[in-house]
Amino acid sequence: MNQDRRIRVLVAKPGLDGHDRGAKVIARALRDSGMEVIYTGIRQTPEQIVDAALQEDVDTILLSILSGAHGFLFPRIMELLKKKGLGDILVLGGGIIPEDDVPELKKLGISEIFGPGMSSQTLINYIRESLSQV
Amino acid sequence: MEEDIEKIQEETKRWNKDCMGKHTFRKVETDWGMEIKPLYTVDDTKDINYLEEIGFPGEYPFTRAPHPSMYLGKLWTMRQYSGYGTADETNKRYKYLLEQGQTGLSVAFDLPTQIGYDSDHPLSQGEVGKVGVAVDSLADMETIFNGLPLDKLSTSMTINAPAAILLAMYLAVAEKQGIGPEKLNGTIQNDILKEYTVRGTYIFPVGPSLRLITDIFEYCSKHVPKWNTINIAGYHMREAGATAVQEIAFTFADAIEYVNAGIKAGLRVDDFAPRISWIFNTHNNFFEEIAKYRAARRLWAKIMKERFGASDPRSWMFRFHTQTAGSALTAQQPLNNVVRVAFQTLAAILGGAQSLASCSFDEALALPTEESVRLSLRTQQIIAHEIGVTDTVDPMGGSFYIESLTKKMEEKITDYIERIDELGGAAVAIEKGYIQQEIQESAYRYQKEVESGGKVVVGMNSYQVEEPLPKGLLKVDTEVGAIQIKKLKELKTDRDNQKVQSTLLALRKTAEGYANLMPPIIEAVKAYATLGETCDVLREVFGEYEGTSVI
């Protein structure tokens, strides 16, 4: 990707879950590291998230969910991204997501799932490395 | 005595001089910016007037306890936050917990229920039964409480935007059990302001939401006199990152808004203030948590008496439920959480809790299993019966450190409340994003301290081990959504749909006017109008709250 352009990130909260401490802390940390961060706010539908990703022309989407509804919402988001021609975008997940569910989510094209206790630097490095390979 | 204090002051100075240069003292500061001294003596408490500021249990300003006999008269209510999947599964979990010695119920509802959507609503997909039990109609509530005598139990329901509807269902279940509303004990959360700031399960805008709350105050003061009509919550602000001082300050600011709303609606403060209850978060810092509850008791008594002129001593009393801190649990080495929960539970009891939910060690990963929730309940029982902390009232009272910290926290909380008063009260402060911003700052500061290693989290940023994937976690049946949708279809065929329509129409008319909303809501739920249908009527009349978010 273009080296002059700052990495653009969409931090999104799909579903009805209102827990966004993690999403906001991550958004802040990414912004402090020099990325452009757009936060959707809570209670977003898959359609709203994909529209925001398209409009904001982001390089990566970070999905945060703690309610356990990832099994329905993540596949729906990935399906809509493909439909809109955004199938190549880097999508990451975080929150409370059981390890058992991770292989299925990765099969959908979600690159990585980060759980509680991850440091923001780990995420920043992951995003930078993944995008520099594009 | 005065001579003694002078002598002690002199000796304290001498001790400081002797030791400060010679020994190493780690510098310690609270999360809210107060330096903690290496040593507290009578010198730190000499300005606290015992009779006015500390006093006696059960007497103003209640610093030591809200009741004279505390745990010598009655232990706290052991009330694990619980509910998942279908009404049937939840009913089984409640019966299990009661068999194990739990003494009250606390209902966790799923997100669609909390936001007023039926299980067949498009936005409910994937969420049904996940973080709590799914309730679509009175039929589900009948199943949840099947075989549980509501006149012998107290039930707390974590429900906010649609609190009036769930309360109406509870009253209807009781009626079917032959129990009048005057006999019911329990609590609804009914605290919408913190939904706007940190918890997110709002439906209606501020004005109509406050009307629903004050309608509940009024209705219950006449018909359900023992019901705690609001459970003002600091818990979720603390989970979102607030410090202990912010937790109490922002919760009291919300409370002041509710009391003002009640008075503005024409109610007498002493008619509803005695039914105000609280939920707070008992976190890791042991002495700070104890001091926090003592400061809160004293300050709330002063606010009610001096600011609102309440004259009924029950209006001055701060009675609280607490849950240990979910956000203090680690996903790494989850068994370490057993220890964290035990210390937090102990702090809650030394802080004088009336009701307590302790987290289970696996809750950073999933909803708790029967085994983990039992261990957590046993933790409460061991503290209650084995270690002697319930043998006298407020055993921490008089500790130089505790009394001094209590005083400092009271001052800091008061500063925050004054700042929010200047902004125009909690509703305005929320609209301006002030409270959200303050909490976010604390959350970010905490995260940076954890990541820099300045704050040690055992097993997470220190003392890590390679560990296998956790086993035996609870998984909610993925079929719950389909089961609920099938039940809804059957309900809509079996019920008297004309009656449903007429009760909903009556509700709409009341919502458009000014009369109390509780009676038509009760009629609608008794006719088996669904939660979603009832909320939809109110959505059409009241509109919906638009959330905003800044980072």
Side-chain angles (χ1 to χ4, degrees):
Chain A
M1 62 181 280
N2 184 346
Q3 290 299 309
D4 297 337
R5 185 173 177 269
R6 287 164 79 187
I7 294 173
R8 289 175 67 78
V9 187
L10 183 71
V11 176
K13 283 288 303 176
L16 304 180
D17 171 28
H19 296 89
D20 65 350
R21 174 180 181 168
K24 283 174 173 167
V25 163
I26 286 296
R28 196 74 191 263
L30 296 183
R31 200 173 63 189
D32 286 355
S33 80
M35 300 183 194
E36 293 264 8
V37 182
I38 299 111
Y39 174 49
T40 60
I42 59 168
R43 286 168 62 175
Q44 300 292 303
T45 62
E47 287 77 7
Q48 286 171 318
I49 290 168
V50 172
D51 283 349
L54 193 64
Q55 274 173 19
E56 298 287 348
D57 186 25
V58 295
D59 305 301
T60 176
I61 305 174
L62 273 49
L63 301 170
S64 162
I65 191 162
L66 288 83
S67 73
H70 52 272
F72 170 78
L73 293 163
F74 284 13
R76 180 90 187 111
I77 291 166
M78 297 311 284
E79 183 192 315
L80 286 169
L81 283 173
K82 281 194 189 103
K83 259 193 204 157
K84 300 256 176 178
L86 298 174
D88 291 336
I89 211 162
L90 176 69
V91 181
L92 307 173
I96 306 287
I97 297 173
E99 289 284 349
D100 287 355
D101 298 350
V102 172
E104 273 306 306
L105 298 176
K106 285 193 172 173
K107 259 190 234 162
L108 297 168
I110 294 170
S111 301
E112 195 54 82
I113 301 289
F114 294 96
M118 173 213 55
S119 81
S120 48
Q121 199 54 49
T122 308
L123 179 67
I124 291 164
N125 294 344
Y126 186 93
I127 294 173
R128 289 221 171 102
E129 278 164 30
S130 304
L131 292 177
S132 67
Q133 285 162 12
V134 178
Chain B
M1 188 69 195
E2 258 170 46
E3 274 168 41
D4 282 354
I5 284 184
E6 270 174 31
K7 180 90 179 122
I8 291 165
Q9 277 173 318
E10 263 172 46
E11 284 293 298
T12 306
K13 266 190 205 142
R14 179 199 55 76
W15 184 86
N16 279 326
K17 219 171 105 193
D18 284 356
C19 300
M20 284 305 162
K22 247 187 253 169
H23 301 272
T24 310
F25 289 90
R26 184 166 51 85
K27 245 187 130 115
V28 190
E29 208 179 74
T30 63
D31 292 338
W32 35 276
M34 184 198 83
E35 200 176 311
I36 300 178
K37 292 161 61 168
L39 187 76
Y40 286 81
T41 67
V42 69
D43 191 31
D44 297 285
T45 54
K46 66 179 187 303
D47 297 330
I48 300 172
N49 182 318
Y50 184 90
L51 293 176
E52 280 176 20
E53 296 285 303
I54 300 173
F56 293 90
E59 290 178 13
Y60 188 87
F62 304 97
T63 309
R64 301 204 64 174
H67 305 298
S69 62
M70 280 301 278
Y71 307 133
L72 295 168
K74 180 178 172 282
L75 286 172
W76 64 93
T77 306
M78 299 181 191
R79 193 193 294 283
Q80 303 291 58
Y81 186 44
S82 172
Y84 67 95
T86 60
D88 211 32
E89 282 170 292
T90 297
N91 176 260
K92 280 192 194 119
R93 176 64 69 97
Y94 289 171
K95 285 180 176 162
Y96 174 79
L97 285 168
L98 290 166
E99 273 164 28
Q100 295 302 319
Q102 172 166 285
T103 51
L105 296 176
S106 171
V107 187
F109 296 102
D110 72 0
L111 286 167
T113 305
Q114 293 188 49
I115 304 175
Y117 297 130
D118 286 340
S119 296
D120 59 359
H121 192 282
L123 292 175
S124 302
Q125 288 178 92
E127 311 268 15
V128 177
K130 286 283 164 56
V131 303
V133 58
V135 172
D136 289 320
S137 76
L138 176 58
D140 292 317
M141 286 288 272
E142 288 165 2
T143 307
I144 292 175
F145 296 106
N146 184 26
L148 302 171
L150 299 192
D151 53 344
K152 299 203 170 57
L153 283 169
S154 73
T155 303
S156 168
M157 295 190 273
T158 299
I159 194 74
N160 294 280
I165 300 163
L166 274 300
L167 173 62
M169 289 180 184
Y170 193 83
L171 300 178
V173 173
E175 193 180 288
K176 293 199 169 191
Q177 289 189 359
I179 299 160
E182 72 288 348
K183 290 208 180 82
L184 296 175
N185 279 294
T187 306
I188 40 174
Q189 198 156 78
N190 199 24
D191 168 12
I192 198 67
L193 291 173
K194 64 91 177 53
E195 298 297 328
Y196 299 138
T197 49
V198 291
R199 197 167 173 278
T201 67
Y202 43 74
I203 304 176
F204 313 113
V206 182
S209 293
L210 288 175
R211 172 183 171 191
L212 275 162
I213 291 167
T214 52
D215 280 1
I216 292 170
F217 287 172
E218 190 196 14
Y219 184 86
C220 289
S221 72
K222 289 181 189 143
H223 306 284
V224 205
K226 291 195 281 182
W227 196 265
N228 296 319
T229 49
I230 191 163
N231 186 242
I232 311 175
Y235 187 87
H236 317 88
M237 297 197 237
R238 194 71 185 280
E239 287 290 289
T243 65
V245 162
Q246 288 172 334
E247 179 189 11
I248 302 292
F250 299 158
T251 309
F252 279 7
D254 285 352
I256 289 167
E257 197 75 73
Y258 296 130
V259 175
N260 277 327
I263 292 168
K264 223 171 119 188
L267 306 176
R268 278 184 55 239
V269 69
D270 284 324
D271 284 344
F272 65 93
R275 296 323 313 173
I276 293 174
S277 65
W278 312 85
I279 170 172
F280 290 102
N281 189 314
T282 307
H283 220 282
N284 274 339
N285 194 318
F286 192 74
F287 295 113
E288 183 177 283
E289 290 303 307
I290 297 165
K292 175 181 90 176
Y293 293 125
R294 304 176 89 252
R297 269 194 296 275
R298 180 154 79 211
L299 185 55
W300 184 246
K302 288 183 190 169
I303 290 171
M304 287 315 292
K305 191 178 181 189
E306 291 165 16
R307 180 171 181 149
F308 289 109
S311 54
D312 183 341
R314 293 176 309 148
S315 298
W316 307 334
M317 253 181 236
F318 172 93
R319 300 163 303 127
F320 72 99
H321 170 81
T322 176
Q323 176 149 351
T324 62
S327 60
L329 304 175
T330 61
Q332 296 75 16
Q333 303 176 40
L335 278 174
N336 294 346
N337 295 325
V338 173
V339 183
R340 293 190 179 98
V341 169
F343 286 129
Q344 292 168 9
T345 302
L346 182 57
I349 295 319
L350 293 174
Q354 278 57 63
S355 168
L356 174 65
S358 38
C359 291
S360 302
F361 70 85
D362 49 358
E363 285 192 85
L365 299 157
L367 296 187
T369 62
E370 251 183 24
E371 229 178 4
S372 69
V373 78
R374 189 182 62 208
L375 175 57
S376 162
L377 178 61
R378 294 287 181 260
T379 305
Q380 293 197 38
Q381 290 161 336
I382 289 167
I383 289 171
H385 301 293
E386 292 189 9
I387 65 169
V389 290
T390 54
D391 291 351
T392 187
V393 180
D394 185 30
M396 302 303 281
S399 149
F400 303 130
Y401 179 39
I402 286 284
E403 294 297 357
S404 168
L405 192 57
T406 301
K407 181 86 186 154
K408 278 278 172 339
M409 292 183 87
E410 185 191 355
E411 286 166 10
K412 291 279 179 189
I413 295 162
T414 306
D415 288 349
Y416 254 125
I417 294 173
E418 281 171 5
R419 219 170 308 159
I420 292 168
D421 281 340
E422 281 162 22
L423 287 172
V428 178
I430 291 165
E431 198 190 324
K432 289 186 172 158
Y434 170 76
I435 289 176
Q436 298 91 311
Q437 213 101 51
E438 287 287 307
I439 294 172
Q440 274 164 240
E441 282 304 321
S442 299
Y444 193 49
R445 199 168 51 234
Y446 175 86
Q447 181 68 19
K448 285 207 285 200
E449 279 174 32
V450 169
E451 292 196 11
S452 69
K455 245 192 199 334
V456 171
V457 183
V458 173
M460 193 188 84
N461 68 0
S462 313
Y463 313 107
Q464 297 106 319
V465 292
E466 284 294 323
E467 38 185 343
L469 294 182
K471 281 201 190 84
L473 297 175
L474 183 124
K475 263 206 143 168
V476 177
D477 185 356
T478 46
E479 292 306 302
V480 178
I483 295 168
Q484 284 301 117
I485 291 171
K486 185 167 167 269
K487 279 199 289 182
L488 263 173
K489 264 197 194 131
E490 287 165 4
L491 176 88
K492 287 181 182 173
T493 329
D494 294 347
R495 66 185 184 180
D496 179 347
N497 279 303
Q498 256 179 348
K499 196 169 175 201
V500 171
Q501 288 316 315
S502 68
T503 56
L504 289 176
L505 185 67
L507 173 61
R508 178 186 298 273
K509 287 203 172 129
T510 307
E512 285 164 351
Y514 298 97
N516 195 302
L517 288 157
M518 278 304 290
I521 289 174
I522 292 171
E523 289 312 309
V525 306
K526 278 190 185 167
Y528 293 91
T530 67
L531 175 71
E533 289 167 335
T534 314
C535 283
D536 279 345
V537 168
L538 298 177
R539 277 190 186 94
E540 282 163 28
V541 180
F542 294 154
E544 291 186 62
Y545 180 78
E546 297 270 347
T548 51
S549 222
V550 280
I551 49 165

